[in-house]
Amino acid sequence: MKTKEETSKLLQPVEMTFVEGGIFRMSENSVSNPKSLLQKVTLNDFKISKYPIIFSQYITFLNAISASEDGSYHGIKYIDMDDSCCAVDYRYGSFHFTGSCDAFTADCPLEKVTWHGADAFARWVGGRLPTEAEWEFAARGGNQSKGYLFSGSNKVNDVAWNPGNSGVHTHAVGGRQRNELGLYDMSGNVWEWCADWYDSLYYANSSKKNPKGPSFGLYRVMRGRACYFCDVNHCRVDSRGYSDPALGDAYYGFRVVYDIN
């Protein structure tokens, strides 16, 4: 396996955006209880990727770590290549982008990645997955938030590829308007894995400073909502989701966070 230094020249850079820490009110679930606001949450500064990780970046990672041809690594599934719509193929000794039913170009957001595969990539580039609180704070626009329902606008079509405008497939990242922090696709396009285990009531009783989620659980948190299978209200910045961390389903993607030391 190549070292990080050897592969750094091959990896398309992960563009990062600085997020100044602050205090905000974190919502419980916009769909089942749209007026529910929990106690204030305080976060430190961090950096988050400007876009979701795209296929070309993840394929570089799979080749660099010499992942198994089925998309697993040491027996742990990183990406679901058994799915007939997976846009990643293994041939002639390496992984390649092939296009699929859902993603037509390699700069579309990665799909069908498991939580384990997302976490491994984030650590490989020296970062980590965002906590749920960090994700929501960034999606809201951080300290520059204007209080929009969606990430950057009250009009979902301005900022999100969703069931009403996507044509039932993902689109290249950055194709909609950015939010107040200059982040793209935090509403719509793909679901995004977060670091936290899921607990529907966690934020009612958690530490209010840099909460990291429960210490254990069955499911991992997902945010952002996908361009398909979801009502547009699910694209709101405060809407929560979750899934089995071993599942790499359609429209499952992620982005990366770096701590500020």
Side-chain angles (χ1 to χ4, degrees):
M1 182 174 70
K2 294 182 177 67
T3 65
K4 288 182 183 178
E5 291 73 18
E6 290 172 323
T7 56
S8 62
K9 295 180 180 179
L10 302 175
L11 179 67
Q12 183 175 340
V14 178
E15 294 185 57
M16 305 302 296
T17 297
F18 173 74
V19 181
E20 180 185 27
I23 301 172
F24 77 111
R25 288 189 176 275
M26 190 164 179
S27 299
E28 185 175 25
N29 189 304
S30 67
V31 177
S32 66
N33 193 357
K35 296 183 179 180
S36 175
L37 288 176
L38 303 188
Q39 295 184 24
K40 293 179 180 179
V41 171
T42 302
L43 296 174
N44 293 339
D45 299 345
F46 60 96
K47 291 182 180 180
I48 190 167
S49 49
K50 187 175 182 179
Y51 311 100
I53 298 304
I54 60 177
F55 276 100
S56 59
Q57 293 169 323
Y58 202 77
I59 287 170
T60 298
F61 162 68
L62 291 174
N63 285 322
I65 65 171
S66 300
S68 299
E69 61 184 78
D70 64 353
S72 64
Y73 186 69
H74 291 174
I76 299 174
K77 182 184 290 187
Y78 278 8
I79 184 170
D80 185 6
M81 293 180 60
D82 294 329
D83 190 309
S84 60
C85 278
C86 185
V88 178
D89 187 26
Y90 186 87
R91 62 182 187 276
Y92 309 120
S94 61
F95 294 90
H96 302 270
F97 178 80
T98 63
S100 72
C101 345
D102 306 323
F104 304 139
T105 65
D107 55 358
C108 284
L110 176 71
E111 296 181 68
K112 298 180 175 62
V113 64
T114 67
W115 182 91
H116 301 294
D119 178 63
F121 177 96
R123 289 186 286 106
W124 183 71
V125 296
R128 57 177 175 81
L129 293 177
T131 65
E132 184 177 14
E134 289 170 336
W135 193 99
E136 184 175 320
F137 185 59
R140 288 178 176 277
N143 294 325
Q144 300 177 45
S145 176
K146 296 180 181 178
Y148 294 130
L149 295 176
F150 309 103
S151 186
S153 177
N154 285 327
K155 298 178 179 180
V156 67
N157 288 334
D158 289 348
V159 294
W161 292 113
N162 64 81
N165 67 3
S166 67
V168 198
H169 62 83
T170 60
H171 293 258
V173 298
R176 301 281 86 186
Q177 293 178 16
R178 62 185 185 176
N179 78 353
E180 299 94 318
L181 292 175
L183 300 171
Y184 292 86
D185 299 292
M186 296 201 80
S187 289
N189 228 355
V190 294
W191 290 88
E192 297 184 16
W193 288 111
C194 292
D196 312 39
W197 290 108
Y198 176 78
D199 179 346
S200 62
L201 301 177
Y202 172 75
Y203 290 97
N205 304 298
S206 71
S207 166
K208 299 306 181 289
K209 183 174 177 60
N210 299 311
K212 299 184 183 303
S215 57
F216 60 90
L218 295 176
Y219 305 105
R220 295 284 185 174
V221 171
M222 305 194 83
R223 300 297 296 260
R225 299 290 170 162
C227 63
Y228 187 38
F229 292 131
C230 294
D231 180 270
V232 293
N233 280 327
H234 288 81
C235 292
R236 289 172 54 151
V237 292
D238 52 1
S239 181
R240 307 178 72 197
Y242 59 89
S243 187
D244 182 335
L247 183 62
D249 208 345
Y251 307 111
Y252 282 18
F254 70 100
R255 66 183 74 211
V256 175
V257 156
Y258 289 100
D259 292 313
I260 302 295
N261 297 323

